[in-house]
Amino acid sequence: MTGAPHPFPTQAVVLAGGQGSRLRPYTDDRPKPMVEIPGTGTPIIGHQLNWLAEEGVTDAVVSCGHLAEVLQEWLDQAQLPLRVTTVVEDEPLGRGGGLKHAAGSLARPDEPWYATNGDIWTRFPLREMAAFHDERDAVATLALARPRIPWGAVETDAFGHVLDFIEAPPSPYLINAGVYVFSAAFTELLPARGDHERTTFPRLARERRLAGYPLPQGAYWRAIDTAKDLTEAAKELAAQSR
């Protein structure tokens, strides 16, 4: 029997099953979320769990896949600020199926929940995102980031004269930042197998039940996909600590 609903979600799913092939050789002996940000001594997932706990999460489900035993062993030995349950897919279920499989182990299935991709390094007020989600009466809300383009941009006039060179400008487009707020009813809308971003999300968007929460100005966000991302994240963290 569950208690009264909480004003903000207190449970989360972390999707940590990716192989991280673009991060090799770091991922030869560990899953992608177990890769450490240089200079911190803590894997990506450790930072994520600390952030979730700071935002009021008490229970997390970690969905494991590639080299699951390495991640499970670290979780068993680490001093974590919240309760963690792990689940492993016996067979590939796709992103949506994997999310539904993990959600089946949530401590309070009748309450809303957060979810995050296991390779995201970010900090922003999750409670503000949850309030945004409630205000719009959404079934699902995704965080939206505006990453910097990794190349220099060239600005020209209508005649073709070069006016300026802009190093790594912000993208003109918002992207899915890999952090979500889901209402309890969202779990049943997920496919048992397949990709929810091709099925559930488009359906909710047509019904105006999918919301997008732009990350606050100055919020830190980076997807850790390559060795260069690790290096850049270390530099940014060092700059923030000065």
Side-chain angles (χ1 to χ4, degrees):
M1 185 174 179
T2 58
H6 296 272
F8 298 108
T10 59
Q11 55 188 354
V13 167
V14 180
L15 296 172
Q19 293 193 12
S21 55
R22 290 194 292 166
L23 262 176
R24 288 177 177 156
Y26 297 100
T27 51
D28 284 345
D29 61 352
R30 69 196 63 194
K32 192 177 184 182
M34 280 297 300
V35 174
E36 293 182 5
I37 305 292
T40 69
T42 303
I44 299 167
I45 193 167
H47 294 287
Q48 285 189 324
L49 293 173
N50 285 330
W51 173 52
L52 291 171
E54 289 167 4
E55 292 294 324
V57 173
T58 59
D59 296 88
V61 179
V62 177
S63 178
C64 309
H66 175 64
L67 296 173
E69 65 281 358
V70 177
L71 178 51
Q72 288 173 317
E73 182 180 355
W74 183 83
L75 290 168
D76 287 341
Q77 295 177 358
Q79 291 186 326
L80 301 174
L82 72 180
R83 291 181 290 274
V84 172
T85 302
T86 60
V87 297
V88 181
E89 294 178 30
D90 295 326
E91 56 181 328
L93 299 174
R95 290 193 295 179
L99 190 58
K100 186 166 192 169
H101 177 61
S105 294
L106 286 169
R108 294 169 291 279
D110 60 340
E111 293 183 12
W113 47 291
Y114 299 115
T116 179
N117 295 343
D119 57 359
I120 298 299
W121 171 247
T122 187
R123 284 290 186 279
F124 67 90
L126 271 177
R127 292 181 181 91
E128 291 184 10
M129 182 177 174
F132 179 97
H133 169 85
D134 286 341
E135 287 166 3
R136 282 144 189 84
D137 197 25
V139 173
T141 298
L142 52 152
L144 303 175
R146 195 181 297 277
R148 291 193 171 275
I149 298 171
W151 308 281
V154 179
E155 183 180 353
T156 65
D157 64 16
F159 193 68
H161 292 121
V162 173
L163 301 178
D164 200 2
F165 297 90
I166 307 168
E167 187 63 31
S171 167
Y173 298 103
L174 292 165
I175 67 163
N176 182 347
V179 181
Y180 311 90
V181 182
F182 296 135
S183 299
F186 178 75
T187 307
E188 290 303 313
L189 302 178
L190 286 164
R193 203 179 279 273
D195 188 349
H196 62 293
E197 295 194 12
R198 295 179 181 273
T199 55
T200 311
F201 277 179
R203 172 185 164 188
L204 291 175
R206 289 192 298 270
E207 296 170 353
R208 297 295 187 267
R209 296 195 294 165
L210 179 68
Y213 172 77
L215 294 187
Q217 185 73 23
Y220 184 77
W221 180 90
R222 179 177 286 277
I224 308 297
D225 290 320
T226 66
K228 183 179 179 182
D229 291 323
L230 282 174
T231 303
E232 292 300 316
K235 286 180 184 176
E236 290 158 355
L237 287 173
Q240 289 175 12
S241 63
R242 287 183 193 138

